[in-house]
Amino acid sequence: MLSGHLDAARSLGADLGLPAIAPRVRLFAVAGLTEGADDVLDALEPAVGPGRPLLAVAEPDAVWALAEPHDTEAVRIVLERLTAERFPGARAVLGAPASVAELHRQLPALSRTLATVPPGVLRDLATTGTPTAASLDPILSYRRADLVGAVAAYLRHRGHWERAAADLGVHRNTLRHRIATATRLMGADLDDPDTASRTWLRLRENGLA
């Protein structure tokens, strides 16, 4: 999944007898570990809920893992305890909710953020960052259409409907409807330069644009 090979990940998961991958997840990481990753994995496993395995990969200095959105609070508690108590030199980052198909795009931004987090700190990218961070939540959780992609394309092409629609491969009226829905859910005017710039930076920070 982190490499963008979602079909292969689902096929392998089925072969291993794993539960179906949730459509939206949160990617998180703990780095700066002075010991092996086993203790971190053991601490995180109960946070993902009974009957579900922890999907994680351990690197020499970091652990990357996935959580479903409803596991966020439990995962956050464990990460705060790990960084503040058990591994004071560790640092952690918790990504914003994202489609599993977008994880490989989110990963570079999360890696950059993780490298800058001070020791002993957890940074939750769904609640920190620019003043418009919270207003992204409604379009991140919207499932009937790709509002995040629509907003990113609209801002990337600076409000040019034809170019943005062509970029997405949809009719301009479809894009207009998605932007209207996103604007209503976010309570923000994407044609306002300040709002547009902050929203664009927030999307880039999370690897969504």
Side-chain angles (χ1 to χ4, degrees):
M1 283 187 287
L2 297 185
S3 300
H5 302 297
L6 186 56
D7 289 341
R10 285 175 170 152
S11 177
L12 179 58
D15 289 344
L16 294 174
L18 298 176
I21 301 167
R24 295 188 69 79
V25 294
R26 297 189 70 175
L27 178 61
F28 63 94
V30 182
L33 303 173
T34 56
E35 303 176 31
D38 289 347
D39 288 343
V40 174
L41 294 172
D42 289 343
L44 286 169
E45 192 163 13
V48 301
R52 285 187 283 120
L54 175 68
L55 297 181
V57 58
E59 298 178 346
D61 188 49
V63 170
W64 289 89
L66 296 180
E68 296 184 18
H70 54 75
D71 293 329
T72 295
E73 188 57 32
V75 168
R76 184 186 293 111
I77 291 171
V78 172
L79 292 176
E80 288 175 345
R81 187 171 72 248
L82 287 173
T83 53
E85 301 173 9
R86 294 183 61 180
F87 302 101
R91 56 193 189 278
V93 62
L94 178 60
S99 161
V100 289
E102 297 293 325
L103 287 181
H104 66 291
R105 296 191 179 100
Q106 193 183 66
L107 181 60
L110 287 180
S111 297
R112 291 193 298 270
T113 300
L114 184 62
T116 63
V117 174
V121 172
L122 162 64
R123 182 159 297 163
D124 185 343
L125 296 184
T127 59
T128 61
T130 68
T132 57
S135 68
L136 288 180
D137 289 345
I139 65 171
L140 287 167
S141 59
Y142 191 81
R143 298 189 180 185
R144 283 179 284 176
D146 181 14
L147 297 187
V148 174
V151 170
Y154 183 73
L155 296 178
R156 182 182 303 113
H157 293 284
R158 302 184 181 183
H160 292 283
W161 295 105
E162 295 286 353
R163 297 178 192 171
D167 189 10
L168 293 171
V170 300
H171 193 276
R172 63 180 179 275
N173 288 341
T174 299
L175 177 60
R176 286 181 187 275
H177 177 71
R178 291 181 183 178
I179 292 300
T181 301
T183 298
R184 174 175 55 81
L185 292 174
M186 296 169 67
D189 180 5
L190 295 177
D191 291 322
D192 176 75
D194 291 335
T195 300
S197 62
R198 288 196 297 265
T199 302
W200 175 253
L201 290 173
R202 187 71 180 97
L203 290 168
R204 288 293 299 271
E205 178 184 337
N206 284 280
L208 299 173

